[in-house]
Amino acid sequence: MHTSQATLITGASNGIGLELAKLQAQQGANLVLVARSKDKLNALKNELEAKHNISVYVVVEDLSDPTSAQRIFDNTQTHGIAINTLINNAGFGGHGKFAERNLNDELNMMQVNMATLTQLTHLYLQPMLKANTGKILNVSSTASFIPGPLQAVYYATKAYVTSFSQALSEELSDTGVTVSVLCPGAVSTGFVKAANLDGNDLWKNAKTPASVAKIAQKGMDQGKLIIFNEKALEFMLNWVTPLLPRRMLLKISRKTMEIS
Ligand SMILES: NC(=O)c1ccc[n+]([C@@H]2O[C@H](COP(=O)([O-])OP(=O)(O)OC[C@H]3O[C@@H](n4cnc5c(N)ncnc54)[C@H](OP(=O)(O)O)[C@@H]3O)[C@@H](O)[C@H]2O)c1
């Protein structure tokens, strides 16, 4: 890779991350693609390099490994790739009662959804601040606005991502670095199967990952703070759910996670 600037996308092998990679490539950005699925990433690299005049660098890492973020950073540094756009998209959920779920799965989820995202942000923020320019997009969820019985840890990890991103955005408001947080509703991706949510009603009208990525990229380019892809959900979460009695909200939230 001869070029020096690139967009790094975690979870670029599937779903929203893959669509964001395509859009970034269309804009002419060089890419660093991170995920576990080596073959999928290499196929995407070949496709995007053939279609666009860009360089794509593949990094195969399991982000549930607490040492992965530092390895990714060192890897891009060694290859002389400056990350001017960081898209922390990788993440996963898991359905079931907390007491009955495998604790390791929950801890890995917390590492991928929160800790590795935080580590990558801290690492890549330093050179961005030095250059006084950069964009960070963290992929959260509409789940971040309410507690989620039957996906308790997942909803909590996303609450962290939305809170962290907003606070960081404010801290960086006098710099050239912007932070945006994407809060999608249901999207038809590999997420549903990975979280054992097959058959859940919420995903019956799921949006396409391509449509969500388009809104996300536009919002990030504008430096928008919170990016929603569904207006009705945005209204509900901002203006209706905060007013509901807590016990009622928890019961409604639980119902949406039940599988009939
Ligand atoms: N789909 C939805 O309804 C929805 C709604 C709101 C928010 N989101 C959020 O959107 C983001 C993207 O998810 P998606 O819907 O596009 O799901 P997806 O199709 O399952 O894609 C998830 C991506 O994350 C990567 N990933 C997962 N675990 C990883 C690990 N341990 N190490 C490295 N990479 C890992 C996967 O790659 P490998 O398997 O190749 O490692 C894959 O590329 C997630 O943060 C999710 O929470 C999704």
Side-chain angles (χ1 to χ4, degrees):
M1 185 152 183
H2 306 293
T3 40
S4 58
Q5 298 227 306
T7 296
L8 188 149
I9 306 175
T10 65
S13 63
N14 209 58
I16 300 168
L18 184 146
E19 296 299 335
L20 278 164
K22 289 183 183 169
L23 292 180
Q24 285 290 297
Q26 273 170 31
Q27 282 192 347
N30 298 312
L31 297 171
V32 177
L33 305 178
V34 185
R36 292 167 300 184
S37 308
K38 189 178 177 184
D39 293 349
K40 284 191 192 174
L41 291 180
N42 280 326
L44 184 60
K45 168 187 163 74
N46 293 339
E47 179 193 328
L48 296 179
E49 283 184 337
K51 267 194 203 151
H52 310 281
N53 186 25
I54 60 163
S55 301
V56 180
Y57 185 60
V58 165
V59 178
V60 178
E61 281 285 355
D62 184 341
L63 302 175
S64 67
D65 178 344
T67 61
S68 62
Q70 185 69 53
R71 250 193 327 274
I72 294 165
F73 182 73
D74 293 346
N75 191 338
T76 53
Q77 290 284 101
T78 305
H79 285 83
I81 308 168
I83 302 304
N84 55 7
T85 302
L86 171 65
I87 302 181
N88 284 308
N89 160 78
F92 66 95
H95 182 265
K97 285 185 179 168
F98 173 70
E100 293 164 12
R101 281 186 46 79
N102 178 290
L103 180 58
N104 257 336
D105 289 349
E106 304 286 44
L107 295 175
N108 283 340
M109 190 194 298
M110 291 166 69
Q111 180 69 43
V112 174
N113 295 8
M114 297 190 293
T116 300
L117 172 147
T118 307
Q119 289 169 294
L120 286 171
T121 303
H122 196 267
L123 288 163
Y124 284 110
L125 192 51
Q126 314 307 323
M128 282 182 185
L129 284 174
K130 222 178 238 171
N132 200 30
T133 181
K135 290 193 188 86
I136 298 171
L137 174 69
N138 290 331
V139 179
S140 184
S141 169
T142 43
S144 64
F145 293 87
I146 52 174
L150 302 179
Q151 266 220 96
V153 173
Y154 176 72
Y155 275 57
T157 64
K158 293 302 183 180
Y160 171 87
V161 175
T162 299
S163 173
F164 168 66
S165 305
Q166 291 178 81
L168 183 60
S169 169
E170 173 55 29
E171 285 182 11
L172 297 173
S173 58
D174 59 349
T175 76
V177 181
T178 61
V179 182
S180 303
V181 58
L182 172 67
C183 296
V187 193
S188 48
T189 65
F191 178 87
V192 183
K193 203 175 176 51
N196 285 321
L197 280 160
D198 275 324
N200 181 285
D201 285 350
L202 270 190
W203 277 270
K204 278 190 178 144
N205 295 311
K207 307 295 180 200
T208 65
S211 71
V212 177
K214 200 171 160 195
I215 291 166
Q217 172 152 291
K218 190 172 170 213
M220 177 180 69
D221 285 348
Q222 293 170 342
K224 206 170 171 189
L225 181 59
I226 303 181
I227 306 166
F228 287 93
N229 69 310
E230 293 194 52
K231 287 276 167 224
L233 272 176
E234 176 176 3
F235 180 80
M236 276 243 307
L237 293 167
N238 278 331
W239 304 105
V240 181
T241 55
L243 302 177
L244 293 176
R246 275 284 132 173
R247 288 278 171 206
M248 185 193 283
L249 175 62
L250 290 169
K251 293 246 180 292
I252 295 169
S253 178
R254 178 188 180 138
K255 264 249 151 314
T256 67
M257 275 303 113
E258 277 170 0
I259 297 168
S260 45

